[in-house]
Amino acid sequence: MRTLIVLVNDKSGERMERVTLKKTKPSVIGRAWHSDVIVQDKFVEADHLSIQLSDEGLLEITDLNSTNGSTIAGKPVTGSAVYRFGEVIRIGDTNLQIYDAADGVAPAAIRSSWFLLIDRFKSLPAIFALTLVALMLHLGSSWLFANEPVLVNDVVTIIITALVVLVAWTLLMSFASKLLRGEGNMRAFWVLGCLVLGLLEIATLLLALVRFNLQRVELGGLLSTLTYCAIAVLLLVGALTFATHMQRRSKWVFSILLVLTIVGLFRSDEWLKPEHEKWTAQTQTENVTLPPAFLWRAPVSLSKFETDAEKIFDFELEQN
């Protein structure tokens, strides 16, 4: 006798069934009331397949001449087939997985602080209040930094734009979460978007005050970059928490590297500017037009640059 756990995913949802398998009698899966595991699926036979132990103690799956057949890990079952625990059995529109109860289960996962934070906004009034606060902060920030008077139509445009961004963010991330994690998590992404929007507006206001009082452009710019990078990392870590099964350390490392890469790409124009100005001055003096793609290069003489470019790309640089 052997105790099995059958994970059933049919139209009624996902559930687990305990089956005691005797060596002398197979267990049956199907739509019939007498089945050991009852499946709600119109494409499944009354007695669709059976589970039994072989003489060697292996688990065997037998298709009971069903109309629509059965598959194990994508392979059709013809007669009987040896089953390995955890493989997906497909019958009709239903997926089954069988596990040995003697194997036990993994330790409980540590609940992330991100989930605890989102759980504070379970009810619709709480989500509505958070959305209203985020929109008011965004509207207030737009009004404080506006160069012209903010009219009623401007207010409507600002609010609608923010809502469109929140909706697009929520739908996009929910779709990604459904693909990667198997869960939509629309509420989590909406709350995360509102929290980050509010945090962003507060940080923008505080940075403006700090930079105004510092009166040092470079230090203020560095402080702004570090602050916005920290907010971006928090947003990415939160999004990865709800959209993937990545480990905690992996989420932080991936988020930091991605933000640093993006900042590096945006800052590359400033880093290349002195070199670009030097080459521009040299080419204007010698009446040569340089393609923009050649900004990323090791410094070489102009004559060598012309020769190498003509060899590689088979064209002559235009002489004005």
Side-chain angles (χ1 to χ4, degrees), residues 115 177 179-183 185 239-248 250-251:
F115 286 95
S177 176
L179 290 178
L180 300 175
R181 192 183 175 94
E183 305 172 359
N185 288 326
L240 291 173
T241 299
F242 298 116
T244 68
H245 291 286
M246 292 176 66
Q247 297 297 320
R248 181 179 179 183
S250 301
K251 289 184 291 190

Side-chain angles (χ1 to χ4, degrees), residues 8-288:
V8 183
N9 192 347
D10 58 12
K11 61 180 296 184
S12 64
E14 189 175 84
R15 69 184 191 279
M16 290 186 177
E17 300 281 354
R18 185 188 297 272
V19 176
T20 301
L21 192 61
K22 299 179 180 179
K23 199 166 186 179
T24 57
K25 180 184 177 183
S27 296
V28 177
I29 298 176
R31 282 190 298 112
W33 298 120
H34 61 259
S35 299
D36 296 284
V37 178
I38 300 174
V39 176
Q40 298 185 48
D41 189 333
K42 64 182 180 181
F43 300 109
V44 172
E45 301 287 350
D47 295 330
H48 196 101
L49 58 82
S50 65
I51 310 170
Q52 60 185 0
L53 290 174
S54 66
D55 295 335
E56 294 80 14
L58 299 175
L59 198 63
E60 288 186 348
I61 303 296
T62 304
D63 185 89
L64 303 176
N65 297 319
S66 63
T67 303
N68 296 307
S70 310
T71 63
I72 299 178
K75 298 178 181 179
V77 177
T78 303
S80 298
V82 176
Y83 179 80
R84 296 178 179 83
F85 289 115
E87 290 182 326
V88 176
I89 303 171
R90 181 78 173 180
I91 56 174
D93 288 336
T94 301
N95 288 334
L96 307 169
Q97 286 177 283
I98 304 174
Y99 300 94
D100 191 347
D103 291 341
V105 296
I110 299 175
R111 190 164 179 80
S112 169
S113 56
W114 287 98
F115 286 95
L116 297 176
L117 175 63
I118 299 301
D119 282 346
R120 294 180 178 272
F121 302 95
K122 284 185 176 180
S123 63
L124 285 177
I127 296 175
F128 179 78
L130 176 65
T131 304
L132 187 61
V133 169
L135 291 176
M136 290 301 101
L137 287 172
H138 179 61
L139 183 61
S141 177
S142 302
W143 173 72
L144 287 173
F145 293 102
N147 296 322
E148 300 177 354
V150 179
L151 304 177
V152 176
N153 58 336
D154 297 325
V155 172
V156 174
T157 301
I158 291 170
I159 293 177
I160 291 177
T161 302
L163 287 175
V164 168
V165 171
L166 284 173
V167 169
W169 153 264
T170 302
L171 292 177
L172 179 63
M173 294 308 301
S174 297
F175 179 72
S177 176
K178 190 68 176 177
L179 290 178
L180 300 175
R181 192 183 175 94
E183 305 172 359
N185 288 326
M186 291 188 67
R187 177 176 63 90
F189 289 114
W190 181 270
V191 171
L192 180 62
C194 291
L195 289 173
V196 171
L197 176 60
L199 180 62
L200 189 63
E201 300 301 347
I202 294 173
T204 301
L205 177 60
L206 294 178
L207 284 171
L209 295 175
V210 171
R211 294 179 66 176
F212 178 78
N213 288 279
L214 280 177
Q215 295 295 325
R216 296 178 63 180
V217 178
E218 293 183 357
L219 182 58
L222 177 62
L223 184 61
S224 298
T225 301
L226 292 176
T227 303
Y228 290 132
C229 284
I231 294 175
V233 169
L234 285 175
L235 176 63
L236 285 172
V237 171
L240 291 173
T241 299
F242 298 116
T244 68
H245 291 286
M246 292 176 66
Q247 297 297 320
R248 181 179 179 183
R249 180 178 297 178
S250 301
K251 289 184 291 190
W252 282 99
V253 171
F254 176 81
S255 300
I256 292 172
L257 290 177
L258 181 59
V259 169
L260 290 177
T261 301
I262 294 174
V263 171
L265 290 175
F266 277 102
R267 292 284 184 176
S268 61
D269 289 341
E270 298 180 11
W271 300 332
L272 288 173
K273 188 175 180 180
E275 181 74 7
H276 174 66
E277 291 177 346
K278 182 181 72 174
W279 273 79
T280 301
Q282 185 177 7
T283 54
Q284 288 176 350
T285 303
E286 302 188 18
N287 295 323
V288 177

